[in-house]
Amino acid sequence: MEVGFLGLGIMGKAMARNLLRNGFRVTVWNRTLSKCQELVSEGASVGETPASVVKKCKYTIAMLSDPSAALSVVFDKDGVLEEISSGKGYIDMSTVDADTSSKISEAITKKGGYFLEAPVSGSKKPAEDGQLVILAAGGKELYEEITPAFNVLGKKSFFLGEVGNGAKMKLVVNMIMGSMMNALSEGLCLADKSGLNPQTLLDVLDLGGVANPMFKLKGPAMIKGSYAPAFPLKHQQKDMRLALALGDEHAVSMPVAATANEAFKKARGLGLGDHDFSAVFEAVKGKGSSGDA
Amino acid sequence: MEVGFLGLGIMGKAMARNLLRNGFRVTVWNRTLSKCQELVSEGASVGETPASVVKKCKYTIAMLSDPSAALSVVFDKDGVLEEISSGKGYIDMSTVDADTSSKISEAITKKGGYFLEAPVSGSKKPAEDGQLVILAAGGKELYEEITPAFNVLGKKSFFLGEVGNGAKMKLVVNMIMGSMMNALSEGLCLADKSGLNPQTLLDVLDLGGVANPMFKLKGPAMIKGSYAPAFPLKHQQKDMRLALALGDEHAVSMPVAATANEAFKKARGLGLGDHDFSAVFEAVKGKGSSGDA
Amino acid sequence: MEVGFLGLGIMGKAMARNLLRNGFRVTVWNRTLSKCQELVSEGASVGETPASVVKKCKYTIAMLSDPSAALSVVFDKDGVLEEISSGKGYIDMSTVDADTSSKISEAITKKGGYFLEAPVSGSKKPAEDGQLVILAAGGKELYEEITPAFNVLGKKSFFLGEVGNGAKMKLVVNMIMGSMMNALSEGLCLADKSGLNPQTLLDVLDLGGVANPMFKLKGPAMIKGSYAPAFPLKHQQKDMRLALALGDEHAVSMPVAATANEAFKKARGLGLGDHDFSAVFEAVKGKGSSGDA
Amino acid sequence: MEVGFLGLGIMGKAMARNLLRNGFRVTVWNRTLSKCQELVSEGASVGETPASVVKKCKYTIAMLSDPSAALSVVFDKDGVLEEISSGKGYIDMSTVDADTSSKISEAITKKGGYFLEAPVSGSKKPAEDGQLVILAAGGKELYEEITPAFNVLGKKSFFLGEVGNGAKMKLVVNMIMGSMMNALSEGLCLADKSGLNPQTLLDVLDLGGVANPMFKLKGPAMIKGSYAPAFPLKHQQKDMRLALALGDEHAVSMPVAATANEAFKKARGLGLGDHDFSAVFEAVKGKGSSGDA
């Protein structure tokens, strides 16, 4: 099966590589074309532009960093829209808001193409291991056709109905994740200042009802102050912001998420936007360790 | 091995029963003595007062509902203090604040007794299954002597150093748990109002990095509005309050936990204090579903 | 002096009337034209469309309800843009975000027109009394020319520099106002539940360092549950949202405003969006008055 | 009229001096007796101990820094309790929680004395100017007898009913004040980061519906980073904590106050506890001004 793949960031590269390794013929494109070299050496072809990738491939998958990149790849000169046509499918796996998704969907389908939004849950490691969770919505037929690729990229895919629902589900999941990361950060601070061993806290958490892979994976690194970006903080904060905006639209009050979002903002203000989102721990800690009476 | 057991609430009864089933001779006491009957029919003896239990047993374990009950059982007339003496050990597994624990510890050791605080992580189900996590602190020697009982009651025990550390660790864990429960509640509300299936959200969460037993166990019940108390909301809120007070003492700022605590307060105000703490979902939902312009 | 006036909502009508009463010749327009009748009977002329008002008047003032209305009046068919030209000035006194303001400014100046954004601080009563505070930014020359009108509409006007600064200043002020309204609401609840007389709380507040006209004006009405809209809650919440978005842009963490915003969202969810913003008191109260142990 | 006066901190000294200047005979006591010298040179007598002041004076007023000082002055050796008796009145104007007040009240009245709690609203400047607002509760008769002193110390006094109500009213007022100070701090940050002049924000605020003496007095000092303690931050944070505890008791949810409290905690953690409470501005600012991508 032949697929195009647009966007070779942390996630995209791992995903395109998995497709290659599982026998897909993959034509890749990236804004900085030099980033394609590694995958070429593993068997990928290169497209000069998004348009040329779409021209060549029946199915094109995109994995871009944010809504503006997702829009740009479609609508800009040499973009997807120039070559999409009847019989071709475009699958956008970027995490974007529902409005962006709808805009892309309309443009694609107007040209006769098929569109599927399919954001994923999971970051670098699951991407590498083909263990993503795929939240697809839009064209049911395209969903079925692209399932072989989803089977390689993820451990499970959901079809969630109309375009926008994939984006929304992703935001809800990431909002919960962001609040949990704040909860852990506050807990680690409190343990430390109260004379408890933060690593023991992690051990206790891992044995109880709230044990989860994220705490287990990121907790020890947080204690060491190590924040190599699996999921950059600025993207996590963007997702919190979009989730809160979705809540605003529906008059849903979410004070815990809103408070967590402000901590992520503070972390961005501290220059931690490009670190892993677990670096919110630094913002939670503040400088305030000297104590007082 | 013979042990006394004070307090037969949801947790205490399950724990005392596990001791009985594993060959311990157990003498139980409960403020409402009639609640002892069930365990007597399973082989337990009954003590008329905390003092008489301590008189009879070398080791006495207590599992009480809150700091005032924990203090009362020790200091009131016919309390533990009247019979504790050199060579006897008192193990308080209630969740209390560090001050309460210290107060009890001082009184016990002044009389020559040994004291261990040993609050647990885990509620009804782990108590029944002997799968608690035990957070012990205080007398190291007593910790070692009582380990056979801990092996029956829990899957893992930690010795955390000086008295108060068990209480503190417990509070930190429960604080994180309370914030997570709010995060889940907000996510379920947002999913619902945004046209997503809340059960699908649970399915997606359970496949990702934040998958945890609590979401898996309580999520489906929350969707149904079913809140049979495994861990009563008023106790969860008390733990949030005590954790925040611990943070206050050490000048640790924890805005997410503070915000979550206010939601638990709201739930209490709605009369949900005796329901499971997952009933905070009802407070998060509010009445506001009709939408607006 | 002759001015056009677009938008006769609560604020606009009071402002246009003040201009009339102070000797200005005023040509009014409103989306629902029938709303112009009252002012016509007081001496105003009517324009059929925004374009025709601009055609007739050298200076046109707009006072619209939100960014989309502000954009629509300029860019839609028969809009301001069709007749704005060299020598004409357009003064937008609506509360909008800086982006909206910039968009309008660019379009107007491209056509040779002068643009001033001039949102106001103050709602119904100050509008009626000509006691608004005017936050102008953009064309300095136009600011000076329109000052006679500002002197009638407000007690003080500021010139704040480049376009967008008026909008931003307005948002900062309203954000503070929204947080204060929440603070008062929480205080009134706490007084009431603690057995204190809420009116006495208002009396005490009015004698102290935090005494302010808003508490004095709205407090007694809030106690009575009376929320006739001087400044509709949905507009206040919109301003909180925009202020938080401005903070997001600059990585400013504002947890108190974020938390207050969630309370306004809850109030919207309760169907209070069209009531005065002081109705957030109802959301703060919740239903939770029965208390618990 | 003769009165005793216990406690010569920032507030107490100003108050005792006002009594002296208005013809009262005043016998002062302070833990650090040397602090009495200044008032002695203005005509005060000195008592060696709280007990000796009470022995000498029919009415004794206390103004102490916190609940533990308030309790200590009454219950410790050489304390008020040793000399209070039938016909003598004790007026505690410290800001304490209702429990502390009740404890003192019970002890005093048991000895036959009269008790009035009378915390004040207003800090250093109003204390100096005799412009405090006095929140009295407890003995109605004593309230009437001491009114001449209240008339000198304050511009208005309220009688609020049973003991505890003065303390509670004070906490509610200070909670609102603390939330407002956070609102102002966030607004000043947002203005600054958004390219607006913070002083202009203060000017705009002072012309609008939220204009209040606190913003006017403290705002300009905050911009300069000047926090000479009129009301120390650690006391403000203590009052937030006590107000939240009062809310907890009555199941009142106050997310804005809770969030503001966490900011005060952060400020304490930064070592600002002895600065004016407006120093919370520093905690709100954080270090995060460098911005990010």
Side-chain angles (χ1 to χ4, degrees):
Chain A
M1 190 170 175
E2 173 156 36
V3 296
F5 203 103
L6 310 179
L8 299 177
I10 294 173
M11 298 292 289
K13 188 158 75 173
M15 293 160 72
R17 177 174 284 142
N18 272 335
L19 290 170
L20 278 172
R21 287 184 180 166
N22 284 276
F24 284 74
R25 273 161 295 132
V26 186
T27 301
V28 299
W29 169 89
N30 193 65
R31 191 170 303 244
T32 313
L33 273 176
S34 60
K35 286 205 179 164
C36 297
Q37 283 318 313
E38 208 177 325
L39 288 174
V40 167
S41 71
E42 299 175 29
S45 309
V46 174
E48 292 289 306
T49 63
S52 62
V53 172
V54 172
K55 186 173 184 183
K56 185 174 170 199
C57 307
K58 184 169 182 193
Y59 304 108
T60 300
I61 295 171
M63 188 66 182
L64 301 153
S65 61
D66 57 29
S68 85
L71 289 167
S72 153
V73 149
V74 171
F75 290 97
D76 283 4
K77 187 170 169 337
D78 298 325
V80 168
L81 225 50
E82 294 184 5
E83 292 292 344
I84 197 82
S85 64
S86 172
K88 284 184 183 286
Y90 183 66
I91 302 102
D92 191 348
M93 302 185 74
S94 319
T95 293
V96 299
D97 56 305
D99 276 359
T100 300
S101 226
S102 298
K103 222 164 162 179
I104 294 173
S105 173
E106 274 172 42
I108 299 278
T109 51
K110 211 169 163 184
K111 288 267 193 165
Y114 295 100
F115 178 73
L116 193 68
E117 65 167 357
V120 301
S121 173
S123 62
K124 196 182 170 191
K125 188 77 171 48
E128 287 170 355
D129 299 346
Q131 293 291 307
L132 296 166
V133 176
I134 298 169
L135 308 170
K140 186 74 192 280
E141 208 176 336
L142 177 53
Y143 172 70
E144 274 151 19
E145 288 169 26
I146 201 68
T147 289
F150 284 174
N151 287 344
V152 162
L153 298 171
K155 64 182 165 189
K156 171 90 177 167
S157 68
F158 292 86
F159 183 76
L160 301 168
E162 59 179 306
V163 166
N165 283 354
K168 287 173 188 172
M169 183 62 84
K170 179 67 197 294
L171 291 176
V172 177
V173 169
N174 279 8
M175 182 186 83
I176 292 171
M177 183 170 78
S179 293
M180 282 174 63
M181 181 50 80
N182 269 269
L184 177 62
S185 296
E186 292 184 357
L188 287 170
C189 280
L190 181 56
D192 184 43
K193 297 289 168 56
S194 309
L196 302 171
N197 185 332
Q199 181 58 53
T200 305
L201 170 60
L202 294 178
D203 294 342
V204 171
L205 287 170
D206 198 44
L207 286 160
V210 300
N212 65 83
M214 179 175 78
F215 285 8
K216 194 180 180 106
L217 178 70
K218 298 200 185 274
M222 290 162 72
I223 292 175
K224 287 181 208 131
S226 163
Y227 306 110
F231 182 41
L233 189 140
K234 67 185 177 192
H235 294 167
Q236 169 68 50
Q237 196 261 317
K238 176 200 67 187
D239 286 359
M240 297 295 288
R241 179 201 311 149
L242 294 173
L244 286 161
L246 181 62
D248 200 319
E249 201 180 311
H250 297 284
V252 180
S253 177
M254 302 183 291
V256 164
T259 303
N261 184 38
E262 297 306 312
F264 283 115
K265 279 189 201 170
K266 181 165 284 278
R268 263 181 55 214
L270 293 169
L272 299 166
D274 292 319
H275 290 63
D276 189 66
F277 77 105
S278 53
V280 73
F281 184 36
E282 295 297 319
V284 171
K285 281 196 279 190
K287 300 183 291 192
S289 7
S290 51
D292 68 342
Chain B
M1 192 169 175
E2 174 157 35
V3 296
F5 203 103
L6 311 180
L8 299 177
I10 293 173
M11 298 293 288
K13 186 158 75 173
M15 292 160 73
R17 176 175 284 142
N18 272 334
L19 290 169
L20 279 171
R21 288 184 181 167
N22 284 275
F24 286 74
R25 273 161 297 131
V26 186
T27 301
V28 298
W29 170 89
N30 192 68
R31 190 169 303 243
T32 312
L33 275 175
S34 61
K35 285 204 180 167
C36 298
Q37 283 319 314
E38 207 177 326
L39 288 174
V40 167
S41 72
E42 300 174 30
S45 308
V46 174
E48 291 289 307
T49 64
S52 62
V53 172
V54 171
K55 187 174 185 185
K56 184 175 171 197
C57 307
K58 186 172 181 193
Y59 304 109
T60 300
I61 295 171
M63 188 65 182
L64 302 153
S65 62
D66 57 30
S68 85
L71 288 166
S72 151
V73 148
V74 172
F75 291 96
D76 282 4
K77 186 168 168 341
D78 297 324
V80 168
L81 225 50
E82 294 183 4
E83 292 291 344
I84 199 83
S85 63
S86 172
K88 283 185 183 286
Y90 183 66
I91 302 103
D92 190 348
M93 302 186 75
S94 319
T95 292
V96 300
D97 56 305
D99 276 1
T100 300
S101 225
S102 299
K103 223 164 162 178
I104 295 173
S105 173
E106 274 171 41
I108 299 278
T109 52
K110 213 169 164 184
K111 289 268 192 165
Y114 298 100
F115 178 73
L116 194 68
E117 65 168 358
V120 301
S121 173
S123 61
K124 194 182 171 193
K125 188 76 170 50
E128 289 169 354
D129 299 345
Q131 294 290 307
L132 296 166
V133 176
I134 298 169
L135 308 169
K140 186 73 193 280
E141 209 176 334
L142 177 53
Y143 173 70
E144 274 151 20
E145 289 170 25
I146 201 67
T147 289
F150 284 174
N151 288 345
V152 161
L153 297 172
K155 62 181 167 190
K156 170 90 178 168
S157 69
F158 292 85
F159 182 76
L160 300 169
E162 59 180 303
V163 166
N165 284 354
K168 288 174 188 172
M169 183 62 84
K170 179 65 198 293
L171 291 177
V172 177
V173 169
N174 279 9
M175 181 186 84
I176 292 172
M177 184 170 78
S179 294
M180 282 174 62
M181 181 49 80
N182 269 267
L184 177 62
S185 295
E186 291 184 358
L188 287 170
C189 281
L190 181 55
D192 185 42
K193 296 289 168 58
S194 309
L196 301 171
N197 185 331
Q199 182 58 52
T200 305
L201 171 61
L202 293 177
D203 294 342
V204 171
L205 288 170
D206 198 43
L207 286 160
V210 300
N212 65 83
M214 179 176 79
F215 284 8
K216 194 179 179 105
L217 179 70
K218 299 200 185 273
M222 289 162 73
I223 291 176
K224 284 180 211 133
S226 163
Y227 307 109
F231 182 41
L233 190 139
K234 66 185 177 191
H235 294 166
Q236 169 68 51
Q237 197 260 317
K238 175 200 67 184
D239 285 359
M240 297 296 288
R241 179 202 311 151
L242 294 173
L244 286 161
L246 181 61
D248 200 319
E249 202 181 311
H250 297 285
V252 181
S253 177
M254 302 183 292
V256 164
T259 304
N261 184 38
E262 297 306 312
F264 282 116
K265 279 189 201 169
K266 182 165 283 279
R268 264 181 56 214
L270 293 169
L272 299 165
D274 291 320
H275 290 64
D276 189 66
F277 77 106
S278 53
V280 73
F281 184 37
E282 294 299 318
V284 171
K285 280 196 281 190
K287 303 182 290 191
S289 8
S290 50
D292 67 342
Chain C
M1 191 168 174
E2 173 155 37
V3 296
F5 204 103
L6 311 180
L8 299 177
I10 294 173
M11 298 292 289
K13 186 157 75 173
M15 293 161 73
R17 176 176 284 142
N18 271 335
L19 290 169
L20 278 171
R21 287 183 182 168
N22 283 276
F24 286 74
R25 275 161 294 131
V26 186
T27 303
V28 298
W29 170 88
N30 192 67
R31 192 170 302 245
T32 312
L33 274 174
S34 61
K35 286 204 179 167
C36 298
Q37 283 319 314
E38 207 177 326
L39 288 174
V40 167
S41 71
E42 299 174 29
S45 309
V46 174
E48 292 289 307
T49 64
S52 62
V53 172
V54 172
K55 186 173 184 183
K56 184 175 171 197
C57 305
K58 186 171 181 194
Y59 305 108
T60 300
I61 295 172
M63 189 64 181
L64 302 154
S65 62
D66 58 29
S68 84
L71 289 166
S72 152
V73 151
V74 172
F75 291 97
D76 282 4
K77 185 166 171 343
D78 297 325
V80 168
L81 224 49
E82 293 184 5
E83 292 291 344
I84 199 82
S85 63
S86 173
K88 283 184 184 286
Y90 183 66
I91 302 102
D92 190 349
M93 301 187 76
S94 320
T95 292
V96 299
D97 56 305
D99 276 359
T100 300
S101 226
S102 297
K103 222 164 162 177
I104 294 173
S105 173
E106 273 171 43
I108 299 278
T109 52
K110 211 169 164 184
K111 287 267 194 166
Y114 297 99
F115 178 73
L116 195 67
E117 65 168 357
V120 302
S121 174
S123 60
K124 196 182 170 191
K125 188 78 170 49
E128 289 170 354
D129 298 346
Q131 293 292 307
L132 296 167
V133 177
I134 298 168
L135 308 170
K140 185 74 192 280
E141 209 176 335
L142 177 52
Y143 172 70
E144 274 151 19
E145 289 170 25
I146 201 67
T147 290
F150 284 175
N151 287 344
V152 162
L153 298 173
K155 63 181 165 189
K156 170 89 177 168
S157 68
F158 292 86
F159 182 77
L160 301 168
E162 58 180 305
V163 166
N165 283 354
K168 287 173 187 171
M169 184 61 85
K170 179 67 197 295
L171 291 178
V172 178
V173 169
N174 279 8
M175 181 186 83
I176 292 171
M177 183 170 78
S179 293
M180 283 174 62
M181 181 48 80
N182 269 268
L184 178 62
S185 296
E186 291 184 358
L188 287 170
C189 280
L190 181 56
D192 184 42
K193 297 289 168 60
S194 309
L196 301 171
N197 185 331
Q199 182 58 52
T200 305
L201 170 61
L202 293 177
D203 294 343
V204 172
L205 288 170
D206 198 44
L207 286 161
V210 300
N212 65 83
M214 180 176 77
F215 285 7
K216 193 179 180 107
L217 179 69
K218 298 199 185 273
M222 289 162 73
I223 292 176
K224 285 181 211 131
S226 163
Y227 307 109
F231 182 41
L233 189 139
K234 66 185 177 192
H235 294 167
Q236 169 67 49
Q237 196 261 317
K238 175 201 67 186
D239 285 359
M240 297 297 287
R241 178 202 311 151
L242 293 173
L244 286 162
L246 181 62
D248 200 319
E249 201 181 311
H250 297 285
V252 180
S253 178
M254 302 183 292
V256 164
T259 303
N261 184 39
E262 297 305 313
F264 282 115
K265 279 189 202 170
K266 181 166 283 277
R268 264 181 53 214
L270 293 169
L272 299 165
D274 291 319
H275 290 64
D276 189 65
F277 77 106
S278 53
V280 73
F281 184 37
E282 295 298 318
V284 171
K285 280 195 281 189
K287 303 182 289 191
S289 7
S290 52
D292 67 343
Chain D
M1 190 172 176
E2 174 156 36
V3 296
F5 204 103
L6 310 179
L8 299 177
I10 294 173
M11 298 293 288
K13 187 158 76 173
M15 292 160 73
R17 176 174 285 141
N18 272 335
L19 290 169
L20 279 171
R21 288 185 181 165
N22 284 276
F24 285 75
R25 274 161 296 132
V26 185
T27 302
V28 299
W29 170 89
N30 192 65
R31 191 170 304 244
T32 312
L33 274 174
S34 61
K35 285 205 180 164
C36 297
Q37 284 318 315
E38 207 178 326
L39 288 175
V40 167
S41 71
E42 299 174 30
S45 309
V46 174
E48 293 289 306
T49 64
S52 62
V53 171
V54 171
K55 187 175 184 183
K56 185 175 171 199
C57 307
K58 186 171 181 194
Y59 305 108
T60 300
I61 295 172
M63 188 65 182
L64 302 153
S65 61
D66 57 28
S68 83
L71 289 167
S72 153
V73 150
V74 172
F75 291 96
D76 282 4
K77 189 173 169 332
D78 298 325
V80 168
L81 224 49
E82 294 184 3
E83 292 291 344
I84 199 81
S85 62
S86 172
K88 284 185 183 285
Y90 183 66
I91 302 102
D92 191 349
M93 303 185 75
S94 320
T95 292
V96 300
D97 55 306
D99 275 0
T100 300
S101 225
S102 298
K103 223 162 158 179
I104 295 172
S105 173
E106 274 171 41
I108 299 279
T109 51
K110 211 167 162 185
K111 289 266 193 167
Y114 297 99
F115 178 73
L116 194 67
E117 65 168 356
V120 301
S121 172
S123 60
K124 196 182 170 192
K125 187 78 170 49
E128 289 170 355
D129 299 346
Q131 293 292 307
L132 296 167
V133 177
I134 298 168
L135 309 170
K140 185 74 192 280
E141 209 176 334
L142 176 53
Y143 172 71
E144 273 151 22
E145 288 170 26
I146 202 66
T147 289
F150 284 174
N151 287 344
V152 163
L153 298 172
K155 62 181 167 191
K156 170 88 178 170
S157 69
F158 292 86
F159 183 77
L160 301 169
E162 59 180 304
V163 166
N165 283 355
K168 288 174 188 172
M169 184 60 85
K170 179 66 197 294
L171 291 177
V172 177
V173 169
N174 279 9
M175 181 185 83
I176 292 172
M177 183 171 78
S179 294
M180 282 174 63
M181 181 49 80
N182 268 269
L184 177 62
S185 296
E186 291 184 356
L188 287 170
C189 280
L190 181 56
D192 185 43
K193 296 288 166 58
S194 309
L196 301 171
N197 186 332
Q199 182 58 52
T200 305
L201 170 60
L202 293 177
D203 294 343
V204 172
L205 287 170
D206 198 45
L207 286 160
V210 300
N212 66 84
M214 179 176 78
F215 284 7
K216 194 180 181 106
L217 178 71
K218 299 200 184 271
M222 289 162 73
I223 291 176
K224 285 181 208 131
S226 163
Y227 307 110
F231 182 41
L233 189 139
K234 67 185 177 192
H235 294 166
Q236 169 68 50
Q237 196 259 316
K238 175 200 67 186
D239 285 359
M240 296 296 288
R241 179 201 311 150
L242 294 173
L244 286 161
L246 181 61
D248 200 319
E249 202 180 310
H250 298 283
V252 181
S253 177
M254 302 183 292
V256 164
T259 303
N261 184 38
E262 297 305 313
F264 282 116
K265 278 190 201 170
K266 179 166 285 279
R268 263 181 56 214
L270 293 168
L272 299 165
D274 291 319
H275 290 63
D276 189 66
F277 78 105
S278 53
V280 73
F281 184 36
E282 295 298 318
V284 171
K285 280 196 279 190
K287 303 181 291 190
S289 7
S290 51
D292 67 341

